[in-house]
Amino acid sequence: MNRIIALMLAALALGFAPAAAAQEIPYWQAVGADLFASTDADDSETVKVGVSYDWRYRTPNDHQGVRVETARFAPATGPALEEQRLYYRFAAPGDDWSWNGQVGTNGETVLGSLGVHNNDRVRQEYFIERDRLETAQGLDQDLYSTFAGAAFDLPLDERNTLTALVGVQAFDGDNLRTHLRARAIHVVKPDWGLSVQLRTRYFHNSVPAEADYFSPEWYVEVLPVVQVRRFHDGWQYQAAVGLGAQREAGSDWRAARHFEASVTSPPISRDWHVKAAVLHSSAPVASGQGYDYSQATLSLTRAF
């Protein structure tokens, strides 16, 4: 199943690539660099370093080019794995639908992501993404997973919004994970960018404990969150903190924690564009006793 989905991912990217090239000029060229780093309580680490070249660039949401990535996975047990990847990447805005993605290979299989969303009041987004399983068994046996789904934003009024996500995640093997997520968002103080949210998520595994990734029969999380998003001179600053509860099959309820922060520069076409983010969560990612997970991302783009 994963092989079929991977071929579909590549075909969709190639099929919609002309949409990115059909925009009117002027376009510039751009170069960029990006970094992703994550670690968990079991001391597993992932680092991805990429450089990109766009032969057509207007904004971070309107470009077309290539990206070369070096990815290093160091699980808690077992040897580390390092590999190189090559991606075609693009973003194509439209009046009705906008596309973005990066689709490539590590020399073994198709990897990457592809998304499309509309620009209506009720926002719809459809996505598919594929990558390695970063656990020791996943790296040793060359296991991958493919996640596809849809997300919807439903504004109730000027201060209240509901969002929902449904998806399925196919793992190499027999396990199929069903995802359900929902958020209720209330804007408390528009001038401050202050909102309160109730974030909920649930997933179910058809074959629990098939490999060494976190895969109980079911998992549920309920997380009240306070978020602030401010703008200054075009820069966006955002921070969110949450404290709630989580539970999986065969366990009792325990505390769930979440923190995220990001800063994004204005999307100036012919200047530096910068985006940085950090995240810390207690959501489990592997079959260990530790549940802390942290990640940081940084991207720089320069048009010329």
Side-chain angles (χ1 to χ4, degrees), residues 21-215:
Q23 300 291 327
E24 296 180 359
I25 57 174
Y27 275 96
W28 300 280
Q29 301 176 67
V31 293
D34 59 86
L35 170 68
F36 171 92
S38 70
T39 185
D40 62 26
D42 294 327
D43 293 327
S44 298
E45 296 181 351
T46 296
V47 177
K48 298 177 181 179
V49 179
V51 293
S52 61
Y53 166 68
D54 294 324
W55 54 80
R56 295 174 66 88
Y57 181 90
R58 181 178 288 155
T59 71
N61 299 318
D62 190 355
H63 62 258
Q64 185 176 189
V66 294
R67 177 172 174 270
V68 179
E69 178 185 88
T70 295
R72 186 178 188 275
F73 307 96
T77 60
L81 172 70
E82 183 173 307
E83 65 183 12
Q84 283 67 48
R85 302 168 170 193
L86 176 64
Y87 294 97
Y88 163 71
R89 67 182 221 129
F90 72 95
D95 293 335
D96 297 320
W97 294 88
S98 298
W99 293 82
N100 68 85
Q102 62 169 15
V103 179
T105 182
N106 59 352
E108 296 181 2
T109 185
V110 175
L111 300 174
S113 60
L114 180 67
V116 56
H117 66 85
N118 67 3
N119 301 308
D120 295 339
R121 179 176 178 272
V122 178
R123 186 178 187 273
Q124 304 174 49
E125 180 179 1
Y126 303 92
F127 63 88
I128 182 171
E129 54 191 46
R130 176 175 169 82
D131 208 338
R132 278 189 178 275
L133 284 178
E134 301 175 7
T135 63
Q137 186 175 332
L139 298 175
D140 181 63
Q141 299 181 12
D142 279 335
L143 302 180
Y144 297 83
S145 72
T146 305
F147 185 22
F152 307 92
D153 293 354
L154 177 61
L156 301 179
D157 54 40
E158 292 184 353
R159 294 201 178 192
N160 296 282
T161 302
L162 298 178
T163 72
L165 180 148
V166 294
V168 291
Q169 187 173 10
F171 295 87
D172 281 351
D174 298 320
N175 186 30
L176 185 68
R177 177 177 293 177
T178 304
H179 292 260
L180 298 172
R181 302 177 190 174
R183 293 186 185 184
I185 304 170
H186 173 68
V187 178
V188 178
K189 197 77 172 177
D191 294 343
W192 297 356
L194 176 64
S195 66
V196 292
Q197 307 176 10
L198 180 63
R199 303 183 184 183
T200 60
R201 58 184 295 211
Y202 167 86
F203 64 72
H204 176 270
N205 289 291
S206 62
V207 183
E210 182 181 52
D212 61 345
Y213 56 92
F214 180 71
S215 56

